Amino acid sequence: MTDDNLFSSSLASYLDRKILILLRDGREFLGTFRSFDQYANIVLEGTLERIMVGNLFCDIPLGLYIIRGENVMLIGERESDEKELPPHMTCVSVAEIRKAQKEELKGSTTRKMDFLDFD
């Protein structure tokens, strides 16, 4: 049995289950695992992209979604939709989460440039 077969059989155990996928770029997707191929490309149904910034989050509906296997970092089964996030997390609109993302990016860029003295 090759390593490819081991990986395929472990992916098969997630078929028709609700899963969370974390990509190498940090994005998170939630959905029902419907199919995969020999390259670990994945098809999700009822997909949501979950964006979290600080104590804010937003689930953006995407529908049927294909994820290239080379981008997958982690796959995990979701137990239930109830109490999935800590109670201090606040659900906000897409516009609000995008604004929070921009502010966080601006702040992290400023912190990276702190070593420069512009005075």
Side-chain angles (χ1 to χ4, degrees), residues 3-76:
D3 289 336
D4 292 336
N5 289 338
L6 285 172
F7 188 62
S8 296
S9 63
S10 65
L11 279 178
S13 68
Y14 290 114
L15 282 171
D16 299 324
R17 296 185 182 195
K18 292 185 177 187
I19 62 168
L20 176 137
I21 296 180
L22 181 62
L23 300 186
R24 292 180 2 187
D25 65 3
R27 291 185 295 162
E28 290 182 25
F29 295 93
L30 301 100
T32 304
F33 187 46
R34 291 297 181 204
S35 183
F36 66 97
D37 65 11
Q38 71 270 24
Y39 303 109
N41 296 320
I42 293 171
V43 177
L44 291 179
E45 181 180 53
T47 309
L48 300 171
E49 180 178 4
R50 176 163 289 165
I51 300 173
M52 293 189 289
V53 179
N55 291 333
L56 306 176
F57 79 96
C58 180
D59 288 339
I60 302 170
L62 301 173
L64 192 65
Y65 205 74
I66 299 172
I67 298 173
R68 288 181 57 112
E70 65 188 31
N71 296 319
V72 175
M73 186 170 69
L74 177 87
I75 298 176

Side-chain angles (χ1 to χ4, degrees), residues 105-116:
L105 182 61
K106 194 185 314 182
S108 67
T109 303
T110 303
R111 283 191 301 276
K112 288 178 185 176
M113 303 298 281
D114 280 345
F115 70 93
L116 297 174

